[in-house]
Amino acid sequence: MENGWKKWGFQGNEELNMASALTIRGILTTLMENLNESDDRPPIALGQGDPSVFPCFQTTPVDEDSIVDAVRSAKFNCYAPVVGILPARRSIAEKLSCDLPYNLTPDDIYITVGASHAIEIILTVLARPGANILLPRPGYPFYEARAAVSHLEVRHFDLIPEKGWEVDLDGVEALADDKTVAMVIINPGNPCGNVFTYEHLKKVAETARKLGILVIADEVYSFLVFGSNPFVPMGVFGSITPVITLGSISKRWIVPGWSLGWIATTDPNGILHNTRITECLKSYVNLAADPATITQGAVPHIIERTPEDFFSKIIGMTKEAADTCYDKLEEIPCITCPHKPEGTMFVMVKLNLQILEGINDDTEFCIKLAKEESVIVLPGIAVGLKNWLRISFVVAPSSLEDGLGRIKAFYFRHAKKN
Ligand SMILES: *Cc1c(COP(=O)(O)O)cnc(C)c1O
């Protein structure tokens, strides 16, 4: 009998375990297991980007009311159309059109279960046998994990730290072939905290045009910029090459748990329609799970009613946190920061292992840091850059200073003696 359970059919898809190990969540879980329970100090999580857990980063009562109103209206207890309800798609189309040289229509918008689901959908739609996709390094590993599950080959182009993390466009051209379906850019950048200029984005579009591929633009941090470069949506260049923009309410309204995002096609020349990619997208949303209709019902109010000062407050606090982080990191000799963050909640910094005793790589650094100082930071290898770190600075200000102070103490305890 016991052996009966070991037959071929009684096994899960082991590929999923490998894909899961690639994700930030998977890696952070491993790091958390290394926290020392006998440390009296509270653990400080500079690993993930979810500020909603801190009282100073709460969403507005206006947005909470939008959800309550949607529930009370009893209009959203139904199944939604697979592409999402019209008022939600309309308000997202109008909002995005404000920054574009042409208008999106509700037909250009597909509502998803957060931007993660948008990534899942678009990679599934593009993953034909033999196809490959170009992803940034460093990047957001959810793309790699989803590509692995869909058997979509991944090729990495570099972001160049010395050039403010701009895309190595020569590298992109060298990687692409006739089976390349798309390139992904994340702007403002996670994990690098950079913001691409108009000129650079235009070059990205022209490179994609030359290669005959579309651009997937992950713009979940579109509002969160505080440096000298303004945010420019990739859709501005939709007439050069088709652009598929991914967004969500998670980061902007600090409600990742509300799980609502979107795919927007910015393609004034109708190329996605003519190549039937739009049709495949529509077919796949028929197969995919829908975001809760309640949250969809709240979207128009969330977009229209949130007071501007909520965003300016969040941007101000994030900028302050970024400045504190940058200044405090300068005091830690084993860490260098090639580019001061100008957007998002993250910064990528380089580890100098040569001046450390008994620490061989970024993962070991992070595990020991968790054990000895109860501080969690993400090893760069998780986002594709070995011996770097990604630090998230959106935590309560006192925790940020405390956390960076502990990293400094950690350095001095492990510094090479001579
Ligand atoms: C957080 C994040 C996502 C996922 O967004 P959700 O709406 O929470 O699913 C996608 N891309 C990037 C770059 C992110 O930082």
Side-chain angles (χ1 to χ4, degrees), residues 4 15 39 46 147 150 163 190 209 238 287 317 330 333 359 366 370:
E15 280 182 21
D39 190 342
L46 307 178
S150 290
K163 289 191 177 172
N190 178 6
R209 173 79 198 90
L287 308 171
M317 279 165 41
E330 294 232 295
I359 295 179
C366 293

Side-chain angles (χ1 to χ4, degrees), residues 70-140:
V71 173
R72 288 257 153 80
S73 74
K75 283 197 290 193
F76 305 109
N77 296 334
C78 53
Y79 285 115
V82 292
V83 289
I85 64 170
L86 181 61
R89 286 183 291 128
R90 188 189 292 128
S91 62
I92 292 166
E94 283 171 4
K95 176 82 184 156
L96 295 177
S97 298
C98 294
D99 299 319
L100 295 175
Y102 49 84
N103 282 330
L104 298 180
T105 72
D107 287 344
D108 295 314
I109 310 293
Y110 304 78
I111 312 272
T112 62
V113 189
S116 310
H117 188 220
I119 296 170
E120 172 183 338
I121 291 173
I122 197 63
L123 294 197
T124 310
V125 165
L126 295 175
R128 283 175 302 138
N132 67 73
I133 190 165
L134 312 183
L135 299 182
R137 178 176 50 211
Y140 186 66

Side-chain angles (χ1 to χ4, degrees), residues 274-294:
N274 296 340
T275 55
R276 294 168 55 84
I277 286 181
T278 311
E279 193 173 324
C280 295
L281 192 52
K282 291 209 159 80
S283 299
Y284 187 64
V285 289
N286 259 326
L287 308 171
D290 305 329
T293 316
I294 292 287

Side-chain angles (χ1 to χ4, degrees), residues 113-116 119 140 186 190 218 220-221 248 250-251 256 260 346:
V113 189
S116 310
I119 296 170
Y140 186 66
I186 302 171
N190 178 6
D218 183 329
V220 299
Y221 291 103
S248 87
S250 306
K251 311 286 165 56
L260 188 128
F346 308 103

